[in-house]
Amino acid sequence: MFSIIKEKLFSNGKEKIVKNFAFLSVLQFLNVVLPILTIPYLISTIGIENFGLVNFVNTIILFFSVFIEFGFNNSATRDISILKDDQHSIKKIFNEVLTTKIYLFIICVIVLTILVFIIPKFRLHFDLFLVNSITLIGLCLFPLWYFQGIQQMKYVTYINAFFKTIFTLCIFIFVKNESDILYIPLFTSLGFLFSGIASLILIKYKFNITFSFTTISKVQEQLKKGYHLFLSDLYMILLSYTNVIILGFVGNDYYVGIYTTAEKVIRAFSNLLSPLINAIFPYISNKIKENINEGIVFLKKIEKYGAIIIVTLITPVFIFANDLFLFILKGDKIHLVHEIVLVFRILIVFPLFSFLDQVYGKLILIPTGNEKQFSNVFLICLIINIGLSLVLGTYLKDIGMAISSSITQLLILIGMYYYAKKFF
């Protein structure tokens, strides 16, 4: 029996998918567990309002991170996976993408500085923005797209696991009260920074690739190539976090704290199968180019079994949500449980809808060259979401934002399926 399972898993070039999935699962486990571990501690030490403020500023930084990444985690990953046996071309892509990211980082820093000084709410928390901006340096340097393209995700796992664990422990050690609020973004940012530096050192000595600046014309080529995927990533981030920003203005930091506490946990569940999506992406990009029918048959199995697993997992989580948050929010913050659980249960559809829209979008539309349709779905849903969240957020605060997010996620799923169904 075990020999049959092994043969199925490691046949037809799928062994790299299995290995990368294993490493990505470990990394995703850390990405899920470490933030959840800090939630009750931070709420008890700095308060729900300050917790909301930290997440508000972090969300602004996330928007800038999308500009720095510029869709390269999809476009460059796809290109490198197709050219996996051409080391010269891979080196060329590496230099072009990293050069482009450095230029984009400089632009983002200039724009962020201007915004912090002209927007009163931003200027009031200048120190938080300054410390958080270190994250952008780390994201600029970290070449996730390279490791995904060559299907060597074990290195990403080792690097991230080491630094994220160390700096998460630092939060528990150094954050003792409200006056220590700056330590939270500092240690989070240092985790990104050290991961980026370590990855470039590894690439230089392990894969013999030394970075050198490329020409502006090559930068323009990369920007053109990643444009639609960048827009898709931008729309996704806006869809995911616009509600936090809007709630920060139409509500207050208390409601942001309630909403982001529930959202962080729900996104943790939503991301449980993202290692599978990311591990499959370079494989399916190459497979669809070789034989699209075989690729679609493979994706149908992923769609079916992934959906079954998610429904099986979220059903008991929905039922026992109250017990879950009673466990997470121990001590004097138990009075927040009822409102957080209500928001959480409204958002519970996220894991299933998000997984399916990635199957139809990232694993079908992108490898088949339908980036524009992929991007359009997010743009339309973003516009709908902004309208919904402005109305519902104003009148229902955190509850309204949860309703808006769930409706929008359903519309994304429908849109992705509409464009992908012809391939089925």
Side-chain angles (χ1 to χ4, degrees):
M1 178 178 177
F2 288 108
S3 61
I4 295 174
I5 295 174
K6 183 177 179 181
E7 184 180 348
K8 288 284 186 182
L9 288 174
F10 291 88
S11 63
N12 300 322
K14 297 189 186 74
E15 64 276 0
K16 282 192 174 181
I17 293 180
V18 176
K19 290 177 181 177
N20 285 324
F21 174 64
F23 284 110
L24 281 167
S25 295
V26 173
L27 179 60
Q28 193 60 43
F29 177 78
L30 290 171
N31 289 337
V32 168
V33 171
L34 293 179
I36 290 178
L37 286 176
T38 62
I39 289 174
Y41 180 76
L42 292 178
I43 291 176
S44 64
T45 53
I46 67 173
I48 191 71
E49 290 83 4
N50 283 324
F51 182 71
L53 173 62
V54 168
N55 283 299
F56 176 81
V57 175
N58 185 57
T59 300
I60 301 296
I61 297 298
L62 275 174
F63 290 140
F64 286 93
S65 73
V66 178
F67 283 90
I68 293 173
E69 298 292 358
F70 211 83
F72 296 133
N73 288 339
N74 290 319
S75 63
T77 295
R78 178 189 58 197
D79 293 346
I80 291 174
S81 68
I82 293 172
L83 298 168
K84 59 185 177 181
D85 297 321
D86 187 347
Q87 186 65 11
H88 175 73
S89 295
I90 290 177
K91 286 182 179 181
K92 182 172 172 287
I93 292 171
F94 178 85
N95 287 324
E96 290 176 3
V97 173
L98 192 53
T99 299
T100 306
K101 290 182 70 176
I102 291 172
Y103 288 141
L104 290 170
F105 165 75
I106 294 170
I107 294 170
C108 285
V109 169
I110 294 171
V111 174
L112 179 60
T113 302
I114 294 171
L115 289 176
V116 168
F117 280 104
I118 66 175
I119 299 176
K121 187 177 176 69
F122 290 7
R123 188 167 62 248
L124 184 63
H125 304 292
F126 169 80
D127 51 353
L128 281 173
F129 278 100
L130 179 63
V131 175
N132 259 295
S133 63
I134 299 172
T135 298
L136 298 179
I137 305 174
L139 289 171
C140 174
L141 298 178
F142 193 75
L144 176 63
W145 38 271
Y146 173 79
F147 292 110
Q148 283 186 317
I150 64 172
Q151 299 186 57
Q152 293 289 342
M153 291 305 294
K154 63 181 180 181
Y155 299 110
V156 174
T157 303
Y158 295 152
I159 291 171
N160 277 276
F162 179 73
F163 288 112
K164 286 189 176 182
T165 302
I166 286 177
F167 288 110
T168 298
L169 289 174
C170 287
I171 290 176
F172 287 102
I173 295 171
F174 292 98
V175 178
K176 298 300 181 183
N177 52 58
E178 293 184 14
S179 64
D180 298 326
I181 189 173
L182 276 179
Y183 286 134
I184 301 168
L186 174 63
F187 292 128
T188 302
S189 297
L190 288 176
F192 283 99
L193 178 61
F194 279 89
S195 294
I197 294 171
S199 66
L200 292 182
I201 294 172
L202 175 68
I203 289 172
K204 178 179 180 180
Y205 291 103
K206 174 68 178 178
F207 299 100
N208 195 32
I209 296 180
T210 302
F211 171 70
S212 60
F213 278 93
T214 189
T215 61
I216 293 297
S217 62
K218 294 299 180 182
V219 169
Q220 291 173 335
E221 285 180 18
Q222 285 297 332
L223 290 174
K224 184 177 179 181
K225 189 179 296 185
Y227 177 69
H228 286 296
L229 294 173
F230 155 68
L231 288 180
S232 301
D233 287 345
L234 177 61
Y235 299 152
M236 278 190 281
I237 288 293
L238 287 170
L239 278 164
S240 300
Y241 297 102
T242 295
N243 291 3
V244 176
I245 304 301
I246 293 174
L247 189 57
F249 284 102
V250 302
N252 55 44
D253 292 333
Y254 171 82
Y255 291 116
V256 173
I258 294 292
Y259 179 78
T260 54
T261 300
E263 188 200 38
K264 278 181 177 291
V265 178
I266 207 70
R267 287 194 185 280
F269 285 106
S270 298
N271 291 333
L272 285 175
L273 283 182
S274 64
L276 180 62
I277 299 293
N278 290 329
I280 290 172
F281 180 63
Y283 168 83
I284 204 65
S285 295
N286 197 41
K287 174 59 70 175
I288 283 179
K289 183 174 180 172
E290 294 173 352
N291 189 320
I292 190 170
N293 292 327
E294 287 185 11
I296 296 300
V297 168
F298 175 68
L299 286 179
K300 283 183 177 180
K301 295 178 182 178
I302 299 298
E303 172 197 29
K304 176 182 176 181
Y305 293 114
I308 292 172
I309 291 170
I310 291 174
V311 172
T312 303
L313 289 173
I314 66 175
T315 300
V317 172
F318 178 85
I319 295 170
F320 298 105
N322 198 67
D323 297 313
L324 172 65
F325 282 97
L326 281 172
F327 174 75
I328 293 176
L329 299 173
K330 298 174 182 177
D332 60 347
K333 302 301 175 184
I334 291 179
H335 64 282
L336 301 171
V337 167
H338 175 73
E339 191 169 357
I340 293 174
V341 167
L342 182 55
V343 173
F344 179 82
R345 282 178 167 157
I346 295 171
L347 292 171
I348 199 68
V349 295
F350 251 80
L352 179 62
F353 291 172
S354 177
F355 170 74
L356 291 175
D357 88 55
Q358 288 184 82
V359 172
Y360 303 139
K362 184 171 183 175
L363 299 184
I364 294 181
L365 295 183
I366 293 177
T368 55
N370 289 278
E371 294 97 335
K372 188 173 181 179
Q373 289 85 347
F374 180 76
S375 175
N376 286 342
V377 171
F378 285 112
L379 174 58
I380 294 168
C381 292
L382 171 62
I383 295 170
I384 294 172
N385 181 66
I386 291 174
L388 283 173
S389 58
L390 281 171
V391 175
L392 296 176
T394 299
Y395 292 100
L396 299 176
K397 306 306 180 192
D398 48 345
I399 306 300
M401 289 303 179
I403 295 171
S404 173
S405 296
S406 296
I407 292 173
T408 303
Q409 190 62 44
L410 174 60
L411 294 176
I412 294 171
L413 169 58
I414 294 171
M416 292 300 178
Y417 179 75
Y418 174 80
Y419 286 114
K421 65 181 180 181
K422 61 185 178 183
F423 296 104
F424 281 86

